[in-house]
Amino acid sequence: MVGRSRRVVGVRRPPASFKIPLSSFRNKHTTYRFPDGVFVLPDGSYMIVDYKTAKYSESQDELFPIYETQLNAYAVIAEACGLTPVSKLALIYTEPITDKKVASTDDVNSKDGFLMGFSVKILPVKLATAIIEPLLAKTRATLDLPSPPTGRTGCKDCEKMDDLSRILKS
């Protein structure tokens, strides 16, 4: 992306203050999140990326809504910190190349160990920052409940939370 295609003209380190008080969304608490990468595009806008060290496969589709929310939250935070406008989001899957043919060449050996190449797949993520405020409001409402909500039947995480709640009450 950076070299041959020239679609990225720079890399921006997120500011140390890359945080946003959720109270700005009428929710009364602060979260801190840092993206893996912020790229400057030719038009001066920003692309926020999250790196995944894994082979992209169809099973990642189950996780996509989580990653989509994560990257859109980063976009909201970036714009609140002055990195504006954010125009693109992406997941960058980096899979180590470990086949026997590559491993047996002298090119991968160095005095400090070995060099490993990576195969890269870039998966665009829809920029939809409007999804964040309702999620934050729902989170705030849940946190403000006098006790945790009833879990879903069969949910292992819900059962663990119920166990933890019972321990804390005793």
Side-chain angles (χ1 to χ4, degrees):
M1 256 171 111
V2 175
R4 289 174 285 171
S5 68
R6 303 198 194 289
R7 288 185 283 179
V8 172
V9 296
V11 177
R12 182 79 191 268
R13 177 174 240 144
S17 61
F18 202 80
K19 62 184 177 183
I20 188 167
L22 298 187
S23 57
S24 69
F25 292 98
R26 299 178 296 278
N27 289 304
K28 305 176 197 159
H29 94 238
T30 302
T31 186
Y32 301 87
R33 298 291 181 259
F34 302 91
D36 291 335
V38 178
F39 297 125
V40 181
L41 302 175
D43 65 359
S45 68
Y46 296 93
M47 177 171 69
I48 297 175
V49 302
D50 191 56
Y51 296 112
K52 303 296 178 196
T53 307
K55 179 178 182 176
Y56 177 77
S57 66
E58 297 306 313
S59 66
Q60 263 82 16
D61 288 346
E62 286 179 24
L63 300 172
F64 191 80
I66 296 167
Y67 299 149
E68 182 178 37
T69 300
Q70 174 188 6
L71 282 164
N72 275 285
Y74 288 159
V76 169
I77 295 168
E79 291 199 341
C81 292
L83 297 178
T84 185
V86 173
S87 63
K88 293 185 179 186
L89 306 172
L91 292 169
I92 300 178
Y93 285 87
T94 57
E95 176 188 4
I97 299 172
T98 57
D99 63 46
K100 192 173 184 175
K101 180 181 175 187
V102 171
S104 63
T105 66
D106 289 335
D107 295 341
V108 298
N109 297 308
S110 76
K111 64 181 177 139
D112 298 322
F114 65 94
L115 305 172
M116 182 180 290
F118 288 84
S119 171
V120 176
K121 174 170 177 56
I122 300 170
L123 189 65
V125 173
K126 181 181 177 186
L127 183 63
T129 56
I131 67 172
I132 301 304
E133 188 170 347
L135 291 172
L136 294 175
K138 186 175 181 178
T139 300
R140 181 77 268 158
T142 302
L143 291 170
D144 287 343
L145 291 172
S147 61
T150 304
R152 294 184 312 266
T153 304
C155 172
K156 298 295 181 196
D157 289 332
C158 297
E159 291 169 12
K160 290 175 187 174
M161 286 301 294
D162 287 343
D163 291 344
L164 181 59
S165 180
R166 277 191 290 280
I167 291 167
L168 293 173
K169 287 180 183 177
S170 58

